[in-house]
Amino acid sequence: MSDRNKKPKRRVSPSVPVFFPDWLLLRELTRDVTWALERFARGTLLDVGCGERPYSRCRSQVTQWIGLDADTNSSADITGSADAVPLPDGSVDTILCTQVLEHVPDAEGAFAELYRVLRPGGMLILTVPQYWPLHEEPYDFRRYTEIGLRRVATETGFTVVAMRAQGRGVVVSGQAFNNAILCTGEHLPFSGQMWFKATKAPAYLAVNLITVALSAMLRTPRDVLNHLIVARKP
């Protein structure tokens, strides 16, 4: 089986070392999700698709952190999905949903469900990719532009408070290069062994450092890896 079809390992920490293949995305994603949590999260927080709760340390005004995930995640507090949350209407103050919506068949239904369980004045902090290779097949359904993400949020009833993009311009190319390195040799019988994965680390490191150096000169708001949206339920 190809590595891209295997169940992904969930991050325990929000950041990864600079020699990891997804460092270019995660360094900016971690920065922006941390900013949003520290500024907007409060009260009871529902972490949709919680995994190992990598952002749970960012909870200065959060009094309760509820992890929701599939029943295959034994560390989740409750089981369900973004379009089927087993909580009453208006039961949480904040929702965190990172890199999940592209895997939900009914994305508009998921937005409506997240709106339903928020209390009036509650905040949604959500991230989605604009570029990422096919992954977690067969549950990979869409990518979002800033325009599309804003539209589905406002049509659901949310008021958009902030939007931030992660990985502009040449960073998209650097991440694509790392993704290609990651897939190289994935069909070999020893592709899953740690020594083989470690041989790629110097290449990731070089790509990451060169990309960061170039990104100061080669930037564009039109070509990005990812988006974060912060939205309020009126």
Side-chain angles (χ1 to χ4, degrees):
M1 178 183 290
S2 168
D3 282 349
R4 66 184 181 180
N5 292 318
K6 295 176 182 177
K7 184 176 177 60
K9 292 183 179 180
R10 303 302 184 183
R11 289 179 293 126
V12 177
S13 169
S15 58
V16 296
V18 68
F19 52 83
F20 271 45
D22 50 358
W23 178 81
L24 287 168
L25 169 63
L26 290 178
R27 74 188 191 100
E28 296 189 34
L29 182 62
T30 297
R31 176 200 66 196
D32 289 346
V33 172
T34 299
W35 165 81
L37 285 170
E38 291 177 347
R39 182 166 182 178
F40 299 106
R42 60 182 174 81
T44 300
L45 182 146
L46 177 66
D47 188 350
V48 177
C50 62
E52 298 300 323
R53 311 183 201 208
Y55 297 105
S56 60
R57 66 186 66 181
C58 309
R59 55 188 305 168
S60 58
Q61 298 184 68
V62 174
T63 56
Q64 183 181 13
W65 193 289
I66 302 172
L68 179 147
D69 213 334
D71 56 13
T72 53
N73 183 356
S74 59
S75 65
D77 298 306
I78 55 177
T79 59
S81 61
D83 55 355
V85 179
L87 290 175
D89 296 358
S91 55
V92 300
D93 301 292
T94 308
I95 293 176
L96 174 66
C97 183
T98 63
Q99 311 303 92
V100 170
L101 210 62
E102 70 270 25
H103 302 296
V104 180
D106 181 10
E108 289 74 15
F111 260 94
E113 183 73 343
L114 300 181
Y115 186 93
R116 179 187 68 80
V117 299
L118 272 175
R119 296 184 178 117
M123 303 297 292
L124 170 67
I125 301 168
L126 182 142
T127 70
V128 287
Q130 177 168 314
Y131 160 75
W132 203 252
L134 191 66
H135 62 292
E136 299 190 33
E137 300 99 308
Y139 303 105
D140 191 8
F141 303 108
R142 69 189 59 79
R143 300 292 182 267
Y144 282 92
T145 64
E146 176 184 355
I147 296 168
L149 182 59
R150 182 185 293 271
R151 179 174 180 175
V152 69
T154 56
E155 287 183 347
T156 303
F158 284 103
T159 299
V160 176
V161 175
M163 294 195 73
R164 288 190 173 188
Q166 299 82 44
R168 296 180 181 272
V170 72
V171 179
V172 177
S173 300
Q175 184 61 65
F177 203 91
N178 276 345
N179 291 339
I181 296 170
L182 179 66
C183 291
T184 299
E186 65 176 4
H187 297 295
L188 296 175
F190 47 78
S191 63
Q193 296 186 20
M194 188 58 65
W195 68 265
F196 181 74
K197 295 180 179 180
T199 62
K200 300 180 180 182
Y204 299 140
L205 176 62
V207 171
N208 290 341
L209 295 180
I210 292 171
T211 300
V212 169
L214 290 174
S215 66
M217 299 178 288
L218 304 173
R219 298 176 66 84
T220 169
R222 294 179 177 271
D223 199 9
V224 301
L225 287 174
N226 211 77
H227 296 286
L228 174 142
I229 185 170
V230 180
R232 177 184 292 111
K233 178 178 179 178

